[in-house]
Amino acid sequence: MENQKNVTEFIFLGLWRNQKLEQLSFFLFLLCYLAVLMGNVTILLTITCSHLMEQPMYYFLCHLSLMDLCYTSSVVPRLIRDLAAARKSISYHECMTQLFAAHLLAGVEIFILVCMALDRYVAIVKPLHYTVIMNRKSCSILIGTAWGHGFCHSITLLLMVLSLPSCGPNQIDHYICDVKPLLKLACKDVRVVNILLTANSGMVVVVIFLVLVASYILILYHLRTKSSAGCRKALSTCSSHVTVVVLFFVPCIYIYALPAGDQNMDKDISVFYTVIAPMLNPLIYTLRNMEMKISMRKVWSQMLHCRLR
């Protein structure tokens, strides 16, 4: 514990180690963050202020948008600030807080995506039992379970990092506090911790991704007996979810399933699930969803009407 206190702050090396390029990127990431805020707040307001909240699919989508909003806000504001700063520093305690918060919210989001896949599976494979299986109580239990799994995942990672002696250097080759960059700074053999990290994050992400792929293969298998209209509607809903799953899981698998190394493009790939995926998710779920677009028009027209009165 004494060694850990030798490092009181960390210095981020940033995305590209090029100050001019990072200053230009400041406006790009600021626009991306504003798009994340606007898109996810729009979905939250649309669902919570309409009848859509009563449907399990949109209940889970509401929680997914909330996680995207919170997760991005735990990472991107500091990134934007650091892009314009000459010295990108973060205190030891702030770093540990960011590590815990980011992995907690990402862990919850992963299990919400599993809940959404389960909802689509039950709706298509067992339509007669759908209202019984996916009632509000079971949906709330699934969300509570997602938070429980996310907390267990993040607290395990935090305890692993806190157990490592951080006695220098204090330069993190990243733009956020994550486990793999912090492992490179530990002044002891981290091979065992690397294995535990891969088991805790990498293997879990891979297994969940394979389970999601298997669930959609089963859904496609059952859709062969549906009418063409029903098949198109189901495929439209499922394709949106598959797109979100791929955008989130593929970068995570690259980062957490592979061992730490000097040549890894972790900080470049991590932009996909910290910025790009949360920005695109609202578009993916609204552009191809007629019910969502109709509810959005109704809710926003009502809000505008109330303001004008």
Side-chain angles (χ1 to χ4, degrees), residues 155-171:
I155 198 68
T156 302
L157 287 182
L158 179 64
L159 291 174
M160 277 197 292
V161 174
L162 289 174
S163 67
L164 297 173
S166 301
C167 43
N170 69 337
Q171 291 186 328

Side-chain angles (χ1 to χ4, degrees), residues 130-147:
Y130 180 72
T131 54
V132 177
I133 297 172
M134 300 304 295
N135 56 51
R136 179 48 60 91
K137 183 180 178 181
S138 61
C139 290
S140 299
I141 290 172
L142 286 171
I143 291 296
T145 305
W147 275 97

Side-chain angles (χ1 to χ4, degrees), residues 16-24 83-86 88:
W16 298 287
R17 302 194 193 185
N18 184 318
Q19 194 169 353
K20 289 185 178 179
L21 184 59
E22 289 188 344
Q23 286 174 348
L24 290 173
L83 286 171
K88 307 166 179 46

Side-chain angles (χ1 to χ4, degrees), residues 235-269:
L235 283 174
S236 176
T237 305
C238 293
S239 62
S240 299
H241 188 251
V242 170
T243 305
V244 171
V245 166
V246 170
L247 278 173
F248 190 84
F249 274 87
V250 171
C252 286
I253 289 171
Y254 174 88
I255 289 174
Y256 295 107
L258 297 178
D262 294 332
Q263 303 304 315
N264 288 2
M265 298 173 61
D266 288 2
K267 62 183 177 181
D268 303 297
I269 299 296

Side-chain angles (χ1 to χ4, degrees), residues 103-124:
H103 278 273
L104 170 64
L105 297 167
V108 175
E109 182 162 344
I110 284 173
F111 285 100
I112 288 175
L113 290 171
V114 174
C115 295
M116 295 176 77
L118 175 64
D119 172 70
R120 292 299 85 204
Y121 177 84
V122 175
I124 294 168

Side-chain angles (χ1 to χ4, degrees), residues 166-232:
S166 301
C167 43
N170 69 337
Q171 291 186 328
I172 299 177
D173 189 14
H174 214 295
Y175 61 90
I176 57 173
C177 283
D178 206 356
V179 183
K180 284 171 71 174
L182 289 170
L183 288 183
K184 295 177 183 179
L185 305 184
C187 44
K188 76 172 225 181
D189 190 353
V190 295
R191 280 177 293 184
V192 175
V193 179
N194 238 327
I195 294 170
L196 292 173
L197 168 65
T198 304
N200 181 280
S201 300
M203 293 308 297
V204 170
V205 172
V206 170
V207 169
I208 291 175
F209 180 69
L210 293 176
V211 168
L212 291 173
V213 170
S215 72
Y216 279 101
I217 290 173
L218 288 173
I219 287 172
L220 289 173
Y221 178 77
H222 282 84
L223 281 176
R224 78 193 196 285
T225 60
K226 302 285 184 182
S227 64
S228 58
C231 187
R232 279 196 300 270

